[in-house]
Amino acid sequence: MEKSDEVVAVAERVTVVPVAPPLRRGRRWPLGAALAITAVATAGLLLAGTAWPDQPAVRAWRTVCLAITVQALPFLLLGTVLSGAINAFVPADLFTRVLPRRPVLAVPVAGAAGAVLPGCECASVPVANSLIRRGVTPAAAFAFLLSAPAINPVVLTATAVAFPGSPAMVAARLLASLATAAVMGWLWLWLGREEWLRPGLRHRHTGHQHGHSRLHEFRLGFQHDFLHAGGFLVLGAMAAATFNVAVPRSVLDAFSGSPWLSVLFLAGLAVLLAVCSEADAFVAASLTGFSPVARLVFMVVGPMVDLKLIALQAGTFGRAFAWRFSTATTVVAITAGVLIGGLLL
Amino acid sequence: MKRPVQSLLLTLTGLGLLHTALFTDTYLRYVKAGLRVPLIASGAALLLLGLTAAVARERRGGSGRGHEHGSGHGGGQGDGGDHGHDHSVTPRIAWLLFLPALSLTVWAPPALGAYTASRSGAKPVTVQKKGFDPLPAASPVPLTLTDFTKRVQQDRSLAVKGRAVQLTGFVTPAEEGDGWYLTRIIFTCCAADSQTVKVRMYGTEAPPADSWLAVTGTWHPRGALGTRTAEAALDVTAAQPVAQPVNAFTDDLPLRPS
């Protein structure tokens, strides 16, 4: 009984968590804990003794929610291990040495370099931030930020597993994501303003620092990234499971009937569901009523724009940046998805 | 989230994965069998990491907190407004991970069943282009629900006509009326992408929902056999309760637990 009540309580908090700016997390701890305890206690009092957890819908919700989490955990773990290893063991100035000096060229190269950082979008935000602080031009760092969660081998493998027998889907996802990342980088070069960025991005953890055991740093970085991303994964799984169980198939069919509406609907869904990029292919595969193009758009938009990412970006780069960047990225990603999906699928 | 809680969370998640994939078969309710090895590996890695974190903290003793918080990870600097990705502060969102960890170890949710099956449309059956092999001589012939549906709707040689077949699945009551379906839920990857195969049953009262049955019977004549108009339906002659097969969520003939 008690545990089911926790489920409810946290589900109620769900709406609050991603919106809260990820700053000052440490300081607010006691308040947050107090809120959580109050929520759990209230839910416990309200639900104690009811047959609520035995409702078939609730059981199906729990099954689906856990299934998404279990399915994604190994992928998430692999991603965080690798990104932790890169953070701790790759020399700090490697990226600056490798990238071309001219920003216009650096953008696509950085976008393609996203393939070497296997991780999900939560990991790529701090990495992009550290790249900027190490002198990489912001445009290139943003191209990297957008492409890394979408085109790395872990995600592409997951996509191939989720869409067995349709390699075109993997290729289309790779191309559309790369195109979006490059276009956004160039857009930043053309229209972007430094003052949208949070002033004085301070030096933080990324990379190896003198006087610390690399293994120790690796373990800490890994632990942090895994717990952080894992929390968001559970959140995404909850949202997806709610959607999966609560929304009757007929509503989906209403949208899946019209090609344009279905594309916009799934793009919006990708933003709202905030599924980790390492798991979103499986969610896309489950949306069986929709056209391949709409599902591709779901997978292109998802890793680049979603609620948790907007929150992360607002915390890291500043709010003025986050909403402009996310809006523009959504438009570019939908366009790229439709164009490339139309050609390949 | 404090450090001891983090170690606890990692350990618990690792134990949960090991419990579901190594010590029991419950992982098959959620994902496909192929994910077993990655799940065990992940579980072991998380368990190891959680224990390492706990031991490392023990060893460092009193100075441990100071070291991990103060030096090098940005914990002590700044005005408090710039802690976006500080390793010593794990965001509160991580608390959510306790739910699957506890759920896996002590409160595993059940497999999907009649509720899900009744709410999803029937999985579209693929068109078999290369024609059908003759049915095996055994009587009754064991068939999967998908095979039976294909035979009924696509097999021009009408091989199932008059043949006794044996189908295995669980009971899903029909939404209207008192009829029922024999159903299988099939995962592509995990329970989130499940699809349902249904065959309508005639001739007996609806057994309790979610019970697994091996049903023997012949095709219920409705529509023209071998065409799209034929209904995937069975006149039941015998229905025997069976244990849920090991491979409950695949599109294969049932494997019995050994």
Side-chain angles (χ1 to χ4, degrees):
Chain A
M1 274 302 176
E2 264 178 36
K3 274 178 296 297
S4 70
D5 299 336
E6 272 175 32
V7 176
V8 187
V10 181
E12 284 167 0
R13 283 181 57 210
V14 158
T15 45
V16 183
V17 174
V19 186
L23 325 171
R24 296 182 205 139
R25 290 184 207 103
R27 309 278 161 106
R28 295 274 186 84
W29 208 106
L31 179 63
L35 275 178
I37 291 166
T38 319
V40 170
T42 318
L45 284 176
L46 286 176
L47 287 162
T50 66
W52 187 85
D54 281 333
Q55 293 289 317
V58 177
R59 281 188 291 176
W61 183 86
R62 288 180 53 220
T63 307
V64 171
C65 188
L66 193 62
I68 297 177
T69 313
V70 168
Q71 168 78 45
L73 269 181
F75 290 99
L76 182 69
L77 200 64
L78 179 63
T80 16
V81 167
L82 290 172
S83 90
I86 288 173
N87 268 346
F89 300 113
V90 172
D93 59 344
L94 179 77
F95 292 106
T96 4
R97 268 190 286 140
V98 168
L99 284 178
R101 287 191 184 280
R102 290 186 52 197
V104 179
L105 292 180
V107 165
V109 175
V116 303
L117 183 85
C120 75
E121 55 265 40
C122 318
S124 68
V125 172
V127 174
N129 186 26
S130 71
L131 289 180
I132 295 177
R133 278 189 279 99
R134 291 202 182 125
V136 174
T137 170
F142 293 144
F144 180 84
L145 163 80
L146 292 178
S147 76
I151 66 163
N152 68 64
V154 182
V155 170
L156 290 181
T157 310
T159 312
V161 172
F163 291 90
S166 60
M169 184 60 94
V170 183
R173 179 173 197 179
L174 173 68
L175 289 177
S177 304
L178 265 182
T180 311
V183 168
M184 281 306 296
W186 287 323
L187 260 185
W188 178 265
L189 282 181
W190 181 32
L191 298 171
R193 303 228 193 96
E194 291 276 339
E195 65 255 30
W196 291 338
L197 292 174
R198 177 188 294 280
L201 295 168
R202 240 177 243 103
H203 183 78
R204 268 175 262 150
H205 76 95
T206 317
H208 175 64
Q209 292 161 23
H210 271 296
H212 292 278
S213 145
R214 281 174 193 267
L215 211 59
H216 180 66
E217 278 187 353
F218 168 70
R219 192 172 60 73
L220 281 188
F222 167 78
Q223 185 170 326
H224 175 277
D225 287 352
F226 175 76
L227 290 177
H228 187 202
F232 278 108
L233 169 70
V234 178
L235 186 67
M238 285 173 160
T242 307
F243 176 78
N244 202 304
V245 173
V247 180
R249 293 285 149 180
S250 52
V251 172
L252 282 186
D253 292 341
F255 283 100
S256 59
S258 143
W260 283 108
L261 270 185
S262 71
V263 164
L264 294 180
F265 178 68
L266 282 200
L269 198 65
V271 175
L272 292 179
L273 285 188
V275 180
C276 192
S277 69
E278 280 152 17
D280 65 354
F282 300 107
V283 178
S286 77
L287 300 166
T288 40
F290 288 87
S291 68
V293 173
R295 292 201 239 172
L296 174 68
V297 168
F298 179 84
M299 291 192 296
V300 176
V301 172
M304 301 188 173
V305 188
D306 61 41
L307 290 180
K308 67 173 189 287
L309 262 182
I310 296 172
L312 273 176
Q313 289 174 1
T316 312
F317 301 114
R319 230 177 291 168
F321 169 82
W323 73 263
R324 288 182 172 90
F325 191 68
S326 300
T327 316
T329 308
T330 312
V331 174
V332 174
I334 292 176
T335 316
V338 168
L339 287 180
I340 290 172
L343 282 176
L344 288 182
L345 297 175
Chain B
M1 182 179 277
K2 297 206 168 126
R3 295 225 166 252
V5 187
Q6 292 186 27
S7 333
L8 178 70
L9 182 51
L10 292 170
T11 314
L12 210 58
T13 311
L15 280 178
L17 289 180
L18 287 179
H19 181 261
T20 195
L22 184 61
F23 305 135
T24 64
D25 273 342
T26 44
Y27 75 104
L28 288 172
R29 294 177 192 171
Y30 317 119
V31 294
K32 298 198 85 168
L35 205 68
R36 182 173 195 185
V37 173
L39 283 177
I40 294 175
S42 308
L46 285 175
L47 184 62
L48 192 71
L49 191 81
L51 295 180
T52 314
V55 171
R57 204 178 44 250
E58 277 301 304
R59 281 237 200 98
R60 220 169 276 123
S63 67
R65 272 185 65 87
H67 175 74
E68 297 202 348
H69 272 261
S71 50
H73 290 285
Q77 68 176 9
D79 53 11
D82 202 15
H83 283 72
H85 197 78
D86 183 342
H87 276 176
S88 61
V89 182
T90 297
R92 275 172 287 158
I93 187 96
W95 284 93
L96 284 181
L97 264 180
F98 271 110
L99 296 176
L102 289 172
S103 200
L104 282 173
T105 37
V106 295
W107 203 48
L112 292 180
Y115 175 79
T116 308
S118 67
R119 286 167 55 93
S120 61
K123 177 178 188 272
V125 174
T126 52
V127 176
Q128 184 153 336
K129 290 192 181 123
K130 60 180 164 46
F132 289 83
D133 296 331
L135 276 180
S139 183
V141 187
L143 286 178
T144 66
L145 298 183
T146 308
D147 279 343
F148 179 72
T149 310
K150 274 191 193 168
R151 290 278 182 181
V152 166
Q153 296 182 341
Q154 298 176 28
D155 185 0
R156 297 288 160 81
S157 66
L158 312 185
V160 287
K161 190 169 190 178
R163 291 291 301 270
V165 298
Q166 187 180 54
L167 308 177
T168 304
F170 62 87
V171 176
T172 300
E175 293 203 321
E176 66 283 338
D178 51 358
W180 58 288
Y181 293 92
L182 198 66
T183 39
R184 285 284 285 272
I185 286 180
I186 295 161
F187 298 167
T188 315
C189 280
C190 70
D193 57 32
S194 67
Q195 293 181 300
T196 305
V197 202
K198 305 181 180 189
V199 174
R200 181 82 191 216
M201 297 287 137
Y202 289 96
T204 54
E205 291 280 299
D210 282 328
S211 51
W212 279 81
L213 297 177
V215 174
T216 312
T218 51
W219 178 61
H220 176 81
R222 173 171 293 185
L225 187 62
T227 68
R228 286 265 158 212
T229 61
E231 189 191 14
L234 202 71
D235 278 326
V236 180
T237 53
Q240 195 179 9
V242 293
Q244 176 174 327
V246 179
N247 56 349
F249 300 106
T250 62
D251 197 11
D252 302 309
L253 288 174
L255 287 174
R256 296 268 160 260
S258 51

mmCIF file of all heavy atoms in Angstrom, chain B residues 112-140:
data_model
loop_
_atom_site.group_PDB
_atom_site.id
_atom_site.type_symbol
_atom_site.label_atom_id
_atom_site.label_comp_id
_atom_site.label_asym_id
_atom_site.label_seq_id
_atom_site.Cartn_x
_atom_site.Cartn_y
_atom_site.Cartn_z
ATOM 1 N N LEU B 112 0.936 -7.605 -18.427
ATOM 2 C CA LEU B 112 -0.240 -7.031 -19.078
ATOM 3 C C LEU B 112 -1.250 -8.136 -19.353
ATOM 4 O O LEU B 112 -0.888 -9.281 -19.569
ATOM 5 C CB LEU B 112 0.168 -6.366 -20.397
ATOM 6 C CG LEU B 112 1.022 -5.114 -20.281
ATOM 7 C CD1 LEU B 112 1.321 -4.584 -21.669
ATOM 8 C CD2 LEU B 112 0.320 -4.059 -19.460
ATOM 9 N N GLY B 113 -2.518 -7.761 -19.345
ATOM 10 C CA GLY B 113 -3.534 -8.790 -19.535
ATOM 11 C C GLY B 113 -4.757 -8.274 -20.251
ATOM 12 O O GLY B 113 -4.666 -7.425 -21.135
ATOM 13 N N ALA B 114 -5.902 -8.785 -19.804
ATOM 14 C CA ALA B 114 -7.149 -8.541 -20.512
ATOM 15 C C ALA B 114 -7.486 -7.056 -20.624
ATOM 16 O O ALA B 114 -8.041 -6.615 -21.622
ATOM 17 C CB ALA B 114 -8.284 -9.281 -19.819
ATOM 18 N N TYR B 115 -7.121 -6.266 -19.589
ATOM 19 C CA TYR B 115 -7.448 -4.841 -19.635
ATOM 20 C C TYR B 115 -6.809 -4.179 -20.859
ATOM 21 O O TYR B 115 -7.460 -3.489 -21.639
ATOM 22 C CB TYR B 115 -6.954 -4.157 -18.356
ATOM 23 C CG TYR B 115 -7.132 -2.661 -18.367
ATOM 24 C CD1 TYR B 115 -8.372 -2.095 -18.110
ATOM 25 C CD2 TYR B 115 -6.057 -1.820 -18.660
ATOM 26 C CE1 TYR B 115 -8.543 -0.726 -18.142
ATOM 27 C CE2 TYR B 115 -6.227 -0.452 -18.688
ATOM 28 C CZ TYR B 115 -7.471 0.088 -18.430
ATOM 29 O OH TYR B 115 -7.635 1.448 -18.462
ATOM 30 N N THR B 116 -5.503 -4.436 -21.011
ATOM 31 C CA THR B 116 -4.790 -3.850 -22.147
ATOM 32 C C THR B 116 -5.302 -4.424 -23.462
ATOM 33 O O THR B 116 -5.519 -3.697 -24.436
ATOM 34 C CB THR B 116 -3.285 -4.118 -22.004
ATOM 35 O OG1 THR B 116 -2.877 -3.699 -20.714
ATOM 36 C CG2 THR B 116 -2.496 -3.380 -23.049
ATOM 37 N N ALA B 117 -5.517 -5.755 -23.465
ATOM 38 C CA ALA B 117 -5.938 -6.409 -24.707
ATOM 39 C C ALA B 117 -7.291 -5.886 -25.174
ATOM 40 O O ALA B 117 -7.500 -5.655 -26.366
ATOM 41 C CB ALA B 117 -6.000 -7.918 -24.497
ATOM 42 N N SER B 118 -8.206 -5.652 -24.221
ATOM 43 C CA SER B 118 -9.533 -5.238 -24.639
ATOM 44 C C SER B 118 -9.537 -3.809 -25.157
ATOM 45 O O SER B 118 -10.425 -3.408 -25.880
ATOM 46 C CB SER B 118 -10.514 -5.374 -23.473
ATOM 47 O OG SER B 118 -10.178 -4.452 -22.461
ATOM 48 N N ARG B 119 -8.539 -3.029 -24.761
ATOM 49 C CA ARG B 119 -8.509 -1.632 -25.192
ATOM 50 C C ARG B 119 -7.715 -1.403 -26.455
ATOM 51 O O ARG B 119 -7.692 -0.296 -26.987
ATOM 52 C CB ARG B 119 -7.942 -0.759 -24.075
ATOM 53 C CG ARG B 119 -8.921 -0.558 -22.921
ATOM 54 C CD ARG B 119 -8.219 0.033 -21.742
ATOM 55 N NE ARG B 119 -7.522 1.263 -22.076
ATOM 56 C CZ ARG B 119 -8.060 2.468 -21.942
ATOM 57 N NH1 ARG B 119 -9.268 2.588 -21.481
ATOM 58 N NH2 ARG B 119 -7.363 3.529 -22.242
ATOM 59 N N SER B 120 -6.992 -2.403 -26.911
ATOM 60 C CA SER B 120 -6.223 -2.177 -28.130
ATOM 61 C C SER B 120 -6.878 -2.909 -29.284
ATOM 62 O O SER B 120 -7.471 -3.980 -29.105
ATOM 63 C CB SER B 120 -4.789 -2.661 -27.939
ATOM 64 O OG SER B 120 -4.782 -4.030 -27.664
ATOM 65 N N GLY B 121 -6.763 -2.324 -30.426
ATOM 66 C CA GLY B 121 -7.301 -2.970 -31.614
ATOM 67 C C GLY B 121 -6.473 -4.191 -31.947
ATOM 68 O O GLY B 121 -5.364 -4.374 -31.446
ATOM 69 N N ALA B 122 -7.031 -5.052 -32.793
ATOM 70 C CA ALA B 122 -6.274 -6.239 -33.173
ATOM 71 C C ALA B 122 -5.077 -5.840 -34.021
ATOM 72 O O ALA B 122 -5.153 -4.946 -34.851
ATOM 73 C CB ALA B 122 -7.165 -7.207 -33.925
ATOM 74 N N LYS B 123 -3.956 -6.498 -33.758
ATOM 75 C CA LYS B 123 -2.733 -6.245 -34.513
ATOM 76 C C LYS B 123 -2.979 -6.605 -35.975
ATOM 77 O O LYS B 123 -3.507 -7.669 -36.282
ATOM 78 C CB LYS B 123 -1.637 -7.138 -33.944
ATOM 79 C CG LYS B 123 -0.303 -7.066 -34.638
ATOM 80 C CD LYS B 123 0.673 -7.987 -33.897
ATOM 81 C CE LYS B 123 2.089 -7.860 -34.385
ATOM 82 N NZ LYS B 123 2.380 -8.742 -35.507
ATOM 83 N N PRO B 124 -2.618 -5.719 -36.896
ATOM 84 C CA PRO B 124 -2.783 -6.074 -38.298
ATOM 85 C C PRO B 124 -1.891 -7.260 -38.647
ATOM 86 O O PRO B 124 -0.712 -7.284 -38.303
ATOM 87 C CB PRO B 124 -2.352 -4.807 -39.043
ATOM 88 C CG PRO B 124 -1.642 -3.966 -38.050
ATOM 89 C CD PRO B 124 -2.054 -4.390 -36.696
ATOM 90 N N VAL B 125 -2.488 -8.250 -39.278
ATOM 91 C CA VAL B 125 -1.721 -9.450 -39.628
ATOM 92 C C VAL B 125 -1.026 -9.215 -40.959
ATOM 93 O O VAL B 125 -1.627 -8.742 -41.915
ATOM 94 C CB VAL B 125 -2.674 -10.658 -39.708
ATOM 95 C CG1 VAL B 125 -1.925 -11.877 -40.203
ATOM 96 C CG2 VAL B 125 -3.286 -10.919 -38.350
ATOM 97 N N THR B 126 0.259 -9.519 -40.996
ATOM 98 C CA THR B 126 1.013 -9.299 -42.241
ATOM 99 C C THR B 126 0.504 -10.239 -43.320
ATOM 100 O O THR B 126 0.044 -11.339 -43.050
ATOM 101 C CB THR B 126 2.507 -9.560 -42.030
ATOM 102 O OG1 THR B 126 2.652 -10.834 -41.429
ATOM 103 C CG2 THR B 126 3.116 -8.499 -41.152
ATOM 104 N N VAL B 127 0.617 -9.790 -44.546
ATOM 105 C CA VAL B 127 0.202 -10.609 -45.674
ATOM 106 C C VAL B 127 1.333 -11.570 -46.018
ATOM 107 O O VAL B 127 2.474 -11.159 -46.197
ATOM 108 C CB VAL B 127 -0.126 -9.722 -46.893
ATOM 109 C CG1 VAL B 127 -0.471 -10.582 -48.089
ATOM 110 C CG2 VAL B 127 -1.265 -8.787 -46.549
ATOM 111 N N GLN B 128 0.988 -12.845 -46.046
ATOM 112 C CA GLN B 128 1.997 -13.841 -46.377
ATOM 113 C C GLN B 128 2.010 -14.023 -47.884
ATOM 114 O O GLN B 128 1.040 -14.487 -48.473
ATOM 115 C CB GLN B 128 1.674 -15.163 -45.666
ATOM 116 C CG GLN B 128 2.738 -16.196 -45.883
ATOM 117 C CD GLN B 128 2.790 -17.182 -44.735
ATOM 118 O OE1 GLN B 128 2.376 -16.887 -43.633
ATOM 119 N NE2 GLN B 128 3.310 -18.373 -45.012
ATOM 120 N N LYS B 129 3.133 -13.646 -48.496
ATOM 121 C CA LYS B 129 3.154 -13.625 -49.957
ATOM 122 C C LYS B 129 3.493 -14.979 -50.554
ATOM 123 O O LYS B 129 3.025 -15.335 -51.625
ATOM 124 C CB LYS B 129 4.169 -12.588 -50.445
ATOM 125 C CG LYS B 129 3.707 -11.169 -50.179
ATOM 126 C CD LYS B 129 4.568 -10.170 -50.909
ATOM 127 C CE LYS B 129 4.092 -8.755 -50.610
ATOM 128 N NZ LYS B 129 5.102 -7.916 -50.064
ATOM 129 N N LYS B 130 4.330 -15.740 -49.834
ATOM 130 C CA LYS B 130 4.870 -16.920 -50.504
ATOM 131 C C LYS B 130 3.983 -18.156 -50.393
ATOM 132 O O LYS B 130 4.402 -19.237 -50.741
ATOM 133 C CB LYS B 130 6.267 -17.227 -49.969
ATOM 134 C CG LYS B 130 6.315 -17.504 -48.466
ATOM 135 C CD LYS B 130 7.768 -17.803 -48.085
ATOM 136 C CE LYS B 130 8.115 -17.755 -46.657
ATOM 137 N NZ LYS B 130 7.434 -18.310 -45.612
ATOM 138 N N GLY B 131 2.766 -18.004 -49.950
ATOM 139 C CA GLY B 131 1.901 -19.169 -49.859
ATOM 140 C C GLY B 131 2.138 -19.953 -48.581
ATOM 141 O O GLY B 131 3.041 -19.647 -47.816
ATOM 142 N N PHE B 132 1.305 -20.960 -48.346
ATOM 143 C CA PHE B 132 1.333 -21.672 -47.071
ATOM 144 C C PHE B 132 1.818 -23.104 -47.263
ATOM 145 O O PHE B 132 1.506 -23.745 -48.259
ATOM 146 C CB PHE B 132 -0.070 -21.695 -46.464
ATOM 147 C CG PHE B 132 -0.515 -20.348 -45.970
ATOM 148 C CD1 PHE B 132 -1.072 -19.417 -46.843
ATOM 149 C CD2 PHE B 132 -0.369 -20.009 -44.644
ATOM 150 C CE1 PHE B 132 -1.480 -18.180 -46.394
ATOM 151 C CE2 PHE B 132 -0.776 -18.775 -44.183
ATOM 152 C CZ PHE B 132 -1.329 -17.858 -45.068
ATOM 153 N N ASP B 133 2.585 -23.589 -46.287
ATOM 154 C CA ASP B 133 2.947 -25.005 -46.274
ATOM 155 C C ASP B 133 1.715 -25.802 -45.864
ATOM 156 O O ASP B 133 0.816 -25.274 -45.209
ATOM 157 C CB ASP B 133 4.067 -25.256 -45.263
ATOM 158 C CG ASP B 133 5.340 -24.536 -45.672
ATOM 159 O OD1 ASP B 133 5.535 -24.354 -46.898
ATOM 160 O OD2 ASP B 133 6.115 -24.136 -44.784
ATOM 161 N N PRO B 134 1.681 -27.094 -46.230
ATOM 162 C CA PRO B 134 0.571 -27.911 -45.740
ATOM 163 C C PRO B 134 0.612 -27.995 -44.217
ATOM 164 O O PRO B 134 1.690 -27.953 -43.615
ATOM 165 C CB PRO B 134 0.831 -29.287 -46.366
ATOM 166 C CG PRO B 134 1.988 -29.151 -47.272
ATOM 167 C CD PRO B 134 2.604 -27.807 -47.101
ATOM 168 N N LEU B 135 -0.556 -28.098 -43.599
ATOM 169 C CA LEU B 135 -0.601 -28.210 -42.142
ATOM 170 C C LEU B 135 -0.009 -29.546 -41.712
ATOM 171 O O LEU B 135 -0.154 -30.539 -42.413
ATOM 172 C CB LEU B 135 -2.048 -28.131 -41.663
ATOM 173 C CG LEU B 135 -2.667 -26.751 -41.477
ATOM 174 C CD1 LEU B 135 -4.108 -26.908 -41.007
ATOM 175 C CD2 LEU B 135 -1.879 -25.942 -40.464
ATOM 176 N N PRO B 136 0.666 -29.605 -40.553
ATOM 177 C CA PRO B 136 1.143 -30.891 -40.040
ATOM 178 C C PRO B 136 -0.025 -31.852 -39.830
ATOM 179 O O PRO B 136 -1.165 -31.418 -39.650
ATOM 180 C CB PRO B 136 1.796 -30.521 -38.701
ATOM 181 C CG PRO B 136 2.046 -29.064 -38.772
ATOM 182 C CD PRO B 136 1.021 -28.489 -39.689
ATOM 183 N N ALA B 137 0.298 -33.151 -39.838
ATOM 184 C CA ALA B 137 -0.773 -34.150 -39.767
ATOM 185 C C ALA B 137 -1.368 -34.278 -38.368
ATOM 186 O O ALA B 137 -2.452 -34.816 -38.207
ATOM 187 C CB ALA B 137 -0.239 -35.505 -40.227
ATOM 188 N N ALA B 138 -0.649 -33.800 -37.356
ATOM 189 C CA ALA B 138 -1.106 -33.984 -35.979
ATOM 190 C C ALA B 138 -2.523 -33.447 -35.794
ATOM 191 O O ALA B 138 -2.942 -32.517 -36.475
ATOM 192 C CB ALA B 138 -0.158 -33.259 -35.027
ATOM 193 N N SER B 139 -3.254 -34.062 -34.891
ATOM 194 C CA SER B 139 -4.595 -33.551 -34.588
ATOM 195 C C SER B 139 -4.801 -33.566 -33.073
ATOM 196 O O SER B 139 -4.592 -34.589 -32.446
ATOM 197 C CB SER B 139 -5.653 -34.424 -35.265
ATOM 198 O OG SER B 139 -6.928 -33.868 -35.021
ATOM 199 N N PRO B 140 -5.131 -32.473 -32.445
ATOM 200 C CA PRO B 140 -5.260 -31.155 -33.063
ATOM 201 C C PRO B 140 -3.898 -30.538 -33.433
ATOM 202 O O PRO B 140 -2.904 -30.866 -32.811
ATOM 203 C CB PRO B 140 -5.916 -30.337 -31.954
ATOM 204 C CG PRO B 140 -5.483 -30.991 -30.682
ATOM 205 C CD PRO B 140 -5.375 -32.442 -30.984
#
